């Protein structure tokens, strides 16, 4: 449902504003589990013209799970799922208006990331003898596509039905230093199996590199519920990419065995996050790519399982990608106010970004991220939700 054209929510918003006054953890009473219990974005708060294109708010759902998006950055702004007591809970942190995203000191909340997710060393890479330079925006490196990546552009949007949104964007040849006119499409849908499904597609007219992902920040206990350190995490990977002090992979595929990076068995995020470990010091916590080896289900790798310790909300991550970046919210600084009034304090959300490996264009041993004209980039990732009592 396109919230940008739905004036019918005016009275509904008044109802939800009143019902939320006593709410502290952005959850709803189990007595109010109908459609009205979900806090919908203020339509006007997301209405703006940016770079000559209209920005709005959109909604999709399956009657049990409801997700909200904006076409500014093709980003998810909220995701309501039931907890173990059937209380509807918003597990994606974000802002209640477009200005929050425009002014945020953290630009990636909920966004579709491109044209290259994660870091490229010194912002440089070479294709067929030509060196390309991406603007540096992360110390001496380029992160998530340069200064104005896909999170800062307005995507075209279609809504074919109440469960599906299709975002498209044409990144022109030379944009942020990348070669080729790249047409990207991301289809978000909510399935009958309580999944948020993400289908990424791209094509180019010139040899280029592509690595698309989503950067939702999750707190499975609910936005504003505090730190995520007691969330249980299981990552189906026996190796990870160690990094240098600038968070660029060294090229090694290191075993997790005997390290704080071993999440082969479910372990709380905070159990070893302060261990005396060089890699944790470099990342100020977990900010590393895992090489996935999970069991395949329906052609997809089971990448990880995360469970909220208070809510019992369980999120299983499936992907066709070879890697996943686990980020434990180490650079959250409490400078931005989320939609429920809480601040983005240190480690109050985490991200699991399915992806190809960081700095792949400069590391021939890594799976390639090159896309040639005539070829199609196509990859699927899924967040599946359930509960544990």
């Amino acid at each position: 449902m396109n919230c940008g054209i739905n004036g019918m929510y005016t009275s509904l918003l008044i109802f939800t504003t009143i019902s939320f006054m006593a709410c502290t953890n952005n959850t709803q009473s189990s007595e109010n589990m109908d459609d009205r219990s979900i806090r919908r974005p203020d339509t006007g708060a997301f209405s703006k013209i940016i770079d000559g294109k209209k920005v709005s708010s959109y909604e999709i759902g399956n009657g049990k799970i409801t997700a909200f998006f904006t076409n500014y950055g093709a980003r998810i702004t909220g995701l309501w799922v039931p907890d173990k007591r059937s209380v509807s809970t918003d597990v994606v942190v974000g802002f209640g208006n477009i200005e929050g995203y425009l002014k945020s000191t953290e630009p990636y909340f909920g966004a579709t990331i491109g044209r290259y997710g994660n870091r490229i060393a010194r912002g440089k890479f070479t294709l067929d003898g030509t060196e390309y330079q991406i603007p540096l925006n992360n110390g001496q490196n380029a992160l998530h596509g340069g200064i104005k990546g896909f999170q800062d552009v307005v995507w075209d949007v279609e809504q074919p039905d109440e469960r599906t949104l299709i975002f498209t964007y044409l990144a022109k040849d030379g944009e942020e230093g990348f070669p080729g006119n790249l047409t990207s499409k991301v289809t978000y849908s909510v399935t009958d199996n309580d999944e948020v499904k993400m289908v990424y597609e791209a094509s180019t007219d010139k040899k280029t590199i592509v690595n698309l992902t989503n950067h939702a920040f999750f707190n499975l206990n609910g936005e504003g519920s505090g730190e995520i350190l007691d969330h249980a995490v299981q990552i189906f990977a026996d190796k990870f990419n160690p990094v240098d002090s600038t968070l660029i992979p060294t090229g090694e595929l290191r075993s997790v065995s005997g390290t704080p990076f071993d999440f082969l068995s479910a372990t709380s995020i905070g159990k070893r996050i302060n261990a005396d470990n060089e890699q944790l010091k470099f990342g100020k916590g977990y900010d590393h790519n895992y090489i996935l080896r999970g069991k395949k289900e329906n052609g997809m790798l089971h990448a990880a399982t995360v469970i909220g310790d208070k809510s019992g909300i369980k999120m299983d991550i499936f992907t066709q990608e070879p890697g996943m970046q686990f980020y434990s919210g180490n650079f959250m600084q409490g400078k931005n106010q989320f939609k429920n009034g809480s601040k983005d304090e240190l480690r109050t959300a985490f991200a699991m970004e399915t992806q190809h490996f960081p700095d792949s264009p400069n590391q021939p041993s890594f799976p390639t991220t090159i896309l040639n004209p005539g070829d199609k980039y196509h990859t699927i990732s899924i967040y599946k939700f359930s509960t544990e009592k």
Side-chain angles (χ1 to χ4, degrees), residues 35-328:
D35 192 53
R36 293 174 297 173
S37 69
I38 296 168
R39 179 186 288 177
R40 287 179 162 77
D42 180 341
T43 301
F46 278 89
S47 181
K48 191 177 182 70
I49 302 298
I50 299 175
D51 295 334
K53 300 178 71 174
K54 183 180 178 181
V55 173
S56 192
S57 177
Y58 303 86
E59 174 185 344
I60 57 175
N62 66 357
K64 185 177 178 182
I65 291 177
T66 303
F68 298 101
F69 292 81
T70 176
N71 57 324
Y72 176 69
R75 70 180 75 223
I76 185 168
T77 61
L79 178 60
W80 292 82
V81 301
D83 73 359
K84 62 185 178 182
R85 295 174 298 276
S86 298
V87 177
S88 191
T89 304
D90 188 2
V91 297
V92 167
V93 303
F95 303 111
N97 54 64
I98 192 62
E99 295 301 323
Y101 291 101
L102 291 171
K103 297 176 181 178
S104 175
T105 59
E106 162 60 69
Y108 306 117
F109 285 118
T112 297
I113 300 298
R115 124 173 18 184
Y116 195 92
N118 221 302
R119 295 174 175 85
I120 297 176
R122 300 174 300 284
K124 295 181 179 180
F125 63 94
T126 300
L127 292 176
D128 295 337
T130 300
E131 183 177 85
Y132 296 92
Q133 177 68 62
I134 310 307
L136 306 183
N137 63 335
N138 187 243
Q140 65 186 49
N141 303 313
L143 174 65
H144 293 330
I147 293 173
K148 188 175 181 179
F150 285 4
Q151 78 281 350
D152 284 331
V153 301
V154 181
W155 294 59
D156 295 324
V157 59
E158 302 174 54
Q159 186 159 16
D161 55 58
E162 63 185 7
R163 295 190 179 195
T164 309
L165 284 170
I166 302 171
F167 295 100
T168 55
Y169 178 68
L170 171 63
K172 295 183 178 180
D173 184 23
E175 184 172 312
E176 291 299 295
F178 291 97
N181 292 295
L182 183 79
T183 299
S184 298
K185 180 167 78 170
V186 185
T187 302
Y188 289 97
S189 59
V190 178
T191 74
D192 287 335
N193 295 322
D194 297 331
E195 302 164 335
V196 176
K197 183 178 182 180
M198 299 159 282
V199 180
Y200 302 92
E201 300 171 80
S203 60
T204 184
D205 62 358
K206 188 176 180 179
K207 192 173 188 176
T208 191
I209 58 172
V210 185
N211 189 24
L212 304 180
T213 190
N214 176 270
H215 210 312
F217 281 68
F218 292 97
N219 186 321
L220 298 186
N221 291 329
E223 180 185 81
S225 61
E227 294 180 337
I228 44 79
L229 296 179
D230 289 329
H231 281 50
V233 169
Q234 187 173 15
I235 301 176
F236 302 103
D238 54 12
K239 293 180 181 179
F240 74 104
N241 290 129
V243 295
D244 64 19
S245 61
T246 71
L247 302 183
I248 293 294
T250 63
E252 177 188 357
L253 307 184
R254 184 177 296 178
S255 172
V256 301
S257 179
T259 78
F261 293 84
D262 186 351
F263 285 92
L264 287 168
S265 298
T267 306
S268 68
I269 293 174
K271 183 175 181 178
R272 299 167 300 197
I273 200 168
N274 295 315
D276 185 13
N277 177 277
E278 182 181 63
Q279 287 297 305
L280 289 175
K281 291 177 181 177
F282 284 162
K284 300 185 185 302
Y286 298 104
D287 193 7
H288 296 72
N289 180 66
Y290 281 78
I291 292 83
L292 299 177
R293 295 286 189 271
K295 179 182 177 182
K296 279 199 172 184
E297 298 182 27
N298 299 319
M300 304 187 73
L301 290 170
H302 190 182
T305 298
V306 188
I307 301 174
D309 57 296
K310 299 174 184 176
S311 68
I313 293 173
K314 178 181 178 181
M315 180 173 71
D316 285 292
I317 302 168
F318 300 90
T319 187
Q320 294 177 330
E321 290 295 286
M324 184 188 72
Q325 188 87 1
F326 172 34
Y327 172 58
S328 53

